[in-house]
Amino acid sequence: MKGLSLGIFSSNKILNTATRFVNSINVFNKKNMQDQGRVRGIDPTQNEPWLDEFMRTSIMENVSYISTIRDEYFPKVESIVYQGVKNGSSPKEIREQLVQRIGMSEKRAKFIARDQSGSILGQMTAKRHKAMGAEKFKWSTSKDERVRDSHEKLEGKVFEYANPPAVGLPGTDYNCRCVAMPVFE
Ligand SMILES: [Zn+2]
């Protein structure tokens, strides 16, 4: 079991997964920012000396999150199997417990991924807005009932990147789906 799981959680696989994840966020944000810049005839993604280091840091952060999930996962799986055998549980019962456990790890991974993509997107957007000459942004929520009250209050308000609201940039708060729209002088 451990051998099998180690395959999923090998350092190489984790690094590949994290790299693909951060790369796909970058591709998504790049296209968005190019579309927003086009109105002013600017491509903010043409010269990005900050990008390599930012990507590297984001990937390493992601690797460490995935590694934490792995480190929690192994002892739990071991204990399910060990306890199951000790208590004379049937293979079917043990299997059900394992499936449930894997589901929990998967949920946690998705949760972390969603939270992280918002945060990475928020930071990338800020850098690219500034590159297209927008020193200010307009806070835009998803305008549905899931928007938290503290962000609903910010809907449509304009902030300076140099002086963002207390909750931080759009998208960076825990599981936040808000986005920043560029404001040009
Ligand atoms: Zn929000």
Side-chain angles (χ1 to χ4, degrees):
M1 188 90 65
K2 199 162 186 172
L4 280 175
S5 315
L6 272 171
I8 313 169
F9 283 123
S10 75
S11 299
N12 246 339
K13 274 250 170 75
I14 291 181
L15 184 62
N16 283 343
T17 306
T19 305
R20 257 188 293 128
F21 174 69
V22 177
N23 277 342
S24 71
I25 294 176
N26 182 38
V27 168
F28 173 78
N29 184 259
K30 204 168 168 174
K31 178 166 185 316
N32 256 344
M33 293 301 110
Q34 284 168 341
D35 289 346
Q36 289 183 356
R38 199 162 295 134
V39 205
R40 308 203 83 210
I42 303 164
D43 179 359
T45 67
Q46 260 180 349
N47 178 32
E48 305 192 292
W50 55 271
L51 188 61
D52 277 355
E53 183 56 34
F54 181 82
M55 295 290 278
R56 211 172 5 251
T57 314
S58 302
I59 290 167
M60 286 341 280
E61 228 171 88
N62 202 250
V63 164
S64 105
Y65 282 128
I66 301 174
S67 306
T68 308
I69 295 175
R70 173 196 57 195
D71 295 345
E72 289 171 1
Y73 177 79
F74 280 140
K76 297 250 166 67
V77 165
E78 266 182 354
S79 127
I80 288 171
V81 176
Y82 177 75
Q83 290 297 330
V85 171
K86 205 177 87 177
N87 300 332
S89 308
S90 71
K92 187 170 173 281
E93 283 168 330
I94 297 178
R95 185 183 176 279
E96 274 163 11
Q97 282 193 316
L98 285 173
V99 167
Q100 199 190 5
R101 179 61 227 170
I102 291 164
M104 276 163 69
S105 293
E106 234 169 44
K107 255 197 208 128
R108 211 167 103 70
K110 277 186 190 145
F111 176 80
I112 290 172
R114 203 168 43 228
D115 186 44
Q116 257 215 308
S117 41
S119 168
I120 295 172
L121 278 174
Q123 293 173 66
M124 278 183 168
T125 299
K127 289 182 191 291
R128 286 171 172 158
H129 276 175
K130 285 187 250 178
M132 59 175 99
E135 293 295 330
K136 294 178 180 175
F137 67 89
K138 191 166 89 180
W139 192 288
S140 174
T141 67
S142 306
K143 299 188 186 73
D144 59 29
E145 66 289 344
R146 280 163 59 214
V147 176
R148 70 202 82 182
D149 293 347
S150 57
H151 290 191
E152 208 181 310
K153 280 182 203 140
L154 303 175
E155 165 64 36
K157 289 205 172 134
V158 173
F159 298 93
E160 279 173 43
Y161 271 115
N163 188 23
V167 293
L169 295 171
T172 55
D173 213 351
Y174 170 79
N175 248 351
C176 169
R177 298 165 300 144
C178 301
V179 293
M181 300 307 289
V183 174
F184 300 105
E185 288 301 321

